[in-house]
């Protein structure tokens, strides 16, 4: 069975489980409450985030979402790959999928916020061509956050 990426509601059982694992994986003791910017399932739904689950051999392996901010940019949300599926290129496949989704909706710029301790994610984003920027949107300077963007047009 091939790798597939499906559009899914964030409150579906598989998506909710992946989001819960991501939240636990973000080392809550390392990040103060004010520096935790991950959206809850309810906020993902309320803000209309397009949310996707990637499956490997039928098993839910990871997730990612994108919030389109008009046609200015798409903000990546809740990117995660389960540890046992890491190293298989699924993160890059999800980034490709989210970039394609943005382009299909007339958006040519991706942005994201990530925590300073998420070294695997930072490596993935930088290898993918994201570059560091100042805080954007509602974000403010935060010593626990890094901000990135990438043009995809």
């Amino acid at each position: 069975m091939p790798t597939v990426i499906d559009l899914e509601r964030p409150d579906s059982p598989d998506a909710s489980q992946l989001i819960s694992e991501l939240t636990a994986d973000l080392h809550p003791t390392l990040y103060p409450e004010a520096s935790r910017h991950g959206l809850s399932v309810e906020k993902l739904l309320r803000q209309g985030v397009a949310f996707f689950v990637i499956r490997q051999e039928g098993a839910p392996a990871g997730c990612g979402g994108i919030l389109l901010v008009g046609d200015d940019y798409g903000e990546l949300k809740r990117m995660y790959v389960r540890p046992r599926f890491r190293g298989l290129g699924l993160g890059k496949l999800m980034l490709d999928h989210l970039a394609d989704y943005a382009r299909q909706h007339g958006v040519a710029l991706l942005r994201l916020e990530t925590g300073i301790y998420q070294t695997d994610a930072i490596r993935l984003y930088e290898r993918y061509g994201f570059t560091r920027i100042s805080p954007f949107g509602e974000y403010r300077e935060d010593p626990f956050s890094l901000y990135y963007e990438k043009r995809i047009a």
Side-chain angles (χ1 to χ4, degrees):
M1 188 178 284
T3 301
V4 296
I5 300 176
D6 295 311
L7 179 64
E8 231 170 272
R9 286 181 54 98
D11 59 354
S12 74
D14 287 343
S16 292
Q17 180 61 40
L18 289 162
I19 291 167
S20 292
E21 290 174 24
L22 168 59
T23 300
D25 195 49
L26 288 176
H27 312 288
T29 57
L30 296 178
Y31 295 106
E33 183 65 36
S35 297
R36 295 184 207 154
H37 303 291
L39 296 182
S40 66
V41 169
E42 295 75 22
K43 282 188 177 178
L44 291 167
L45 288 166
R46 194 168 46 250
Q47 292 188 10
V49 173
F51 198 80
F52 301 89
V53 172
I54 188 167
R55 289 181 172 80
Q56 180 75 19
E57 304 290 324
C63 60
I66 185 167
L67 172 65
L68 299 180
V69 180
D71 57 6
D72 293 338
Y73 62 91
E75 183 181 351
L76 304 189
K77 298 285 194 182
R78 306 309 262 166
M79 283 280 302
Y80 176 68
V81 174
R82 284 180 158 157
R84 69 186 173 113
F85 294 100
R86 292 181 186 163
L88 302 177
L90 301 182
K92 183 185 179 306
L93 285 175
M94 181 60 77
L95 288 173
D96 288 342
H97 188 81
L98 296 172
D100 288 343
Y101 181 90
R103 277 191 287 269
Q104 289 166 10
H105 288 84
V107 174
L109 180 66
L110 298 179
R111 288 184 171 165
L112 65 91
E113 177 275 338
T114 192
I116 60 172
Y117 301 118
Q118 306 316 115
T119 55
D120 290 342
I122 292 165
R123 266 194 306 278
L124 171 67
Y125 299 138
E126 290 179 352
R127 276 197 318 259
Y128 197 76
F130 279 87
T131 56
R132 292 271 307 271
I133 60 169
S134 299
F136 61 93
E138 296 183 7
Y139 295 107
R140 300 292 167 256
E141 283 296 334
D142 183 333
F144 293 94
S145 290
L146 299 173
Y147 310 94
Y148 286 90
E149 73 178 16
K150 176 185 169 94
R151 294 224 164 265
I152 56 170

